[in-house]
Amino acid sequence: MTQHFQGRSQTRLRSQGDSISAAVPMGTEILTMDGVLPVEFLEVGDRIITRSSGALRLRGIVRQKTPADLRLVHITPDALGGKPDCETLLPPQQRILIRDWRAKALWGAEQARVAAARLIDGEFIKWSDKRPAALFSLHFARAEVIYANGLELVTAPLTMPAR
């Protein structure tokens, strides 16, 4: 089941079968104004440190059971120029902000927002059979770049279902 938290209300946001493009598994450490906290401890209104806009209040959290057919990407510590800080699992479509030689060499830009699956090299970044119990999506008014396990991850903007 998917849970969407915005203020005090809980609304079903999406089904398990929908594409998961911006989420992190339980246990992922997020940089906040209160320090580094596991994603499952965050609440709407917490101040999250973003690369793109400084400290912002979290406007929504989506917690959903990891779909049985979702294969995650495993990133080993230091695989991306000293990042992440620890072993990290991400959905394949989760975009990562790359700001090192890879961005210039592979995408011809100083920085690139790249889906985790496009970074798979078979050694340091590879497919995983691990399945966390839940995935969490963090939402702000617009897409932001947050710090998760030391990686710079792109969030999805908050969208509400039509009434």
Side-chain angles (χ1 to χ4, degrees):
M1 177 180 173
T2 300
Q3 296 174 318
H4 175 212
F5 304 99
Q6 181 181 18
R8 296 176 188 252
S9 65
Q10 295 184 18
T11 307
R12 186 153 190 245
L13 182 64
R14 68 171 72 110
S15 69
Q16 291 179 356
D18 289 348
S19 175
I20 298 172
S21 62
V24 295
M26 189 179 289
T28 301
E29 295 184 335
I30 307 297
L31 188 57
T32 75
M33 289 298 289
D34 293 322
V36 176
L37 295 173
V39 67
E40 61 270 24
F41 292 178
L42 298 179
E43 297 178 357
V44 171
D46 284 348
R47 292 177 32 195
I48 309 299
I49 297 175
T50 70
R51 174 174 174 71
S52 37
S53 302
L56 289 178
R57 293 212 182 270
L58 188 58
R59 298 203 38 198
I61 302 171
V62 176
R63 180 186 191 269
Q64 67 184 58
K65 182 178 176 184
T66 304
D69 62 346
L70 181 66
R71 198 164 179 206
L72 298 175
V73 176
H74 176 262
I75 304 175
T76 59
D78 301 325
L80 296 169
K83 304 170 194 172
D85 300 332
C86 58
E87 298 207 9
T88 300
L89 291 173
L90 295 173
Q93 296 304 314
Q94 172 62 60
R95 291 182 298 153
I96 303 170
L97 180 63
I98 303 296
R99 298 185 300 127
D100 63 5
W101 62 269
R102 289 169 193 80
K104 191 72 167 168
L106 299 173
W107 293 282
E110 294 298 318
Q111 59 184 21
R113 295 175 177 204
V114 183
R118 293 198 59 200
L119 296 170
I120 291 175
D121 62 14
E123 186 175 351
F124 302 105
I125 304 174
K126 53 192 167 190
W127 291 110
S128 175
D129 293 323
K130 293 180 182 175
R131 184 143 341 278
L135 295 172
F136 294 80
S137 298
L138 306 180
H139 298 277
F140 303 91
R142 65 184 182 110
E144 297 289 345
V145 175
I146 63 167
Y147 298 94
N149 287 352
L151 289 173
E152 295 172 319
L153 301 183
V154 181
T155 66
L158 180 64
T159 57
M160 293 299 294
R163 293 181 187 230

